[in-house]
Amino acid sequence: MEKTIRRYWPVFVLPTLAAFIIGFVWPFLQGLYLSFCKFITIDKASFNGLKNYIFALTEADFLHAFWFTALFTVVSTVCINLAALAIALALTREIKGTNLFRSVFFMPNLIGGIVLGYIWNILLNCALTLLGKPLMSLHAPYGFAGLIILMCWQQIGYMMIIYIAGLQSIPTDYLEAARIDGANERQILWKVKLPNLMPSITICLFLSLTNGFKLFDQNLALTGGDPAHKTEMLALNIYQTFYGRSGPQWKGYGQAKAVLFCILVVAIGLIQLKSTRSKEVQQ
């Protein structure tokens, strides 16, 4: 069997490798070059040095979008994971209708982000209009809260499934041994369940962090960055820079922002993976 795999590995590896190079590596390298250029089309690009990056790192809207996105990511990650873990702990007990509850909590994840954004835009506008304050007339904190609610509503069910799988993979011998030793439920949670749940926590934190930083469609549909770009996140800011403004300089500015954005997300993801994987225990 191993000889067969060694003989035919190019058949399985080369198509995937070619697709990865064509679909990711080459466009990324091309985009990296264009981030140093002033251009309208790829064929008509003139080298611009570090001007695009200097503009991106000093533009007030981009810096505000970064801090707004960072705050949103931290708050949404904490809320999503705490709620998902609490629900997973509840649904791994012998509760009647557990499968129904799991399906209900997971269903929002099946709806596209742009659709969710417009749905919550309508819901929040209807609720706030009754109070005489339409969503778009409110200040940034209301838009921030709306984005947090939307993100939690969509992501909690998905993370819950991962936590349930992690909880069900914990050997029952560990739990029984802890109970025999006199541990109560709180001690079992902190000393047995959470340490053995670290692989699931690693996955959920990684997904929550990267999804928070990459959020685009919900931001576009719910607030559109209003009022006055105060609820504009990084992905939407890059989109508005690249496509929302005319002129060759703006394409380069948008491309430089995209490269910085990519480096930021990759760095945060790798740091988080390294820090949480070091706390995982072997069963």
Side-chain angles (χ1 to χ4, degrees):
M1 184 65 180
E2 292 182 1
K3 291 182 179 180
T4 304
I5 293 175
R6 291 174 184 173
R7 183 178 179 181
Y8 292 103
W9 71 266
V11 177
F12 301 101
V13 174
L14 290 180
T16 304
L17 182 62
F20 179 72
I21 293 173
I22 295 171
F24 177 78
V25 176
W26 174 244
F28 178 79
L29 293 176
Q30 196 171 42
L32 184 62
Y33 166 72
L34 291 173
S35 68
F36 294 97
C37 298
K38 180 189 291 186
F39 68 97
I40 294 179
T41 63
I42 296 175
D43 297 331
K44 296 180 180 179
S46 58
F47 191 74
N48 203 23
L50 294 174
K51 185 178 179 180
N52 296 336
Y53 286 95
I54 293 171
F55 174 85
L57 293 172
T58 56
E59 188 193 33
D61 286 342
F62 185 67
L63 294 177
H64 174 79
F66 168 76
W67 291 113
F68 184 86
T69 305
L71 179 61
F72 169 84
T73 302
V74 171
V75 174
S76 64
T77 297
V78 172
C79 293
I80 289 170
N81 284 277
L82 287 179
L85 180 58
I87 295 171
L89 289 168
L91 295 182
T92 48
R93 299 175 180 270
E94 295 182 1
I95 299 176
K96 200 171 183 180
T98 297
N99 292 333
L100 175 62
F101 288 128
R102 292 179 186 180
S103 300
V104 170
F105 281 117
F106 184 76
M107 283 177 63
N109 192 259
L110 302 177
I111 306 174
I114 197 77
V115 176
L116 278 178
Y118 283 119
I119 290 173
W120 277 95
N121 187 303
I122 295 170
L123 291 174
L124 292 173
N125 267 307
C126 289
L128 292 171
T129 300
L130 295 176
L131 302 175
K133 295 181 178 180
L135 181 63
M136 289 301 102
S137 68
L138 296 176
H139 298 296
Y142 294 92
F144 179 83
L147 287 168
I148 292 292
I149 293 170
L150 189 159
M151 191 69 170
C152 290
W153 191 70
Q154 182 184 27
Q155 295 291 321
I156 285 174
Y158 186 80
M159 305 305 168
M160 173 202 70
I161 295 297
I162 298 174
Y163 282 128
I164 287 175
L167 288 168
Q168 292 178 337
S169 69
I170 299 174
T172 55
D173 295 345
Y174 293 2
L175 304 176
E176 292 174 0
R179 292 189 179 97
I180 292 172
D181 289 339
N184 56 36
E185 290 301 318
R186 180 178 296 180
Q187 291 171 328
I188 290 174
L189 173 62
W190 286 101
K191 300 297 184 180
V192 180
K193 290 184 177 180
L194 288 181
N196 286 279
L197 202 60
M198 280 308 299
S200 298
I201 294 174
T202 296
I203 295 170
C204 289
L205 286 178
F206 176 79
L207 293 174
S208 302
L209 286 170
T210 54
N211 288 340
F213 267 97
K214 295 187 301 180
L215 192 73
F216 170 74
D217 41 5
Q218 294 94 326
N219 187 203
L220 176 65
L222 185 64
T223 68
D226 292 328
H229 304 283
K230 295 300 181 183
T231 62
E232 188 176 77
M233 300 178 70
L234 282 173
L236 182 58
N237 179 271
I238 294 168
Y239 172 82
Q240 297 288 15
T241 302
F242 199 94
Y243 294 104
R245 301 178 181 180
S246 59
Q249 72 277 16
W250 294 108
K251 302 294 184 185
Y253 295 157
Q255 191 62 45
K257 289 180 179 182
V259 172
L260 292 172
F261 178 61
C262 178
I263 294 171
L264 176 67
V265 173
V266 170
I268 290 173
L270 291 176
I271 292 170
Q272 179 267 314
L273 285 174
K274 184 177 181 180
S275 62
T276 53
R277 278 181 174 171
S278 63
K279 296 179 176 62
E280 294 180 8
V281 298
Q282 297 294 328
Q283 294 182 1

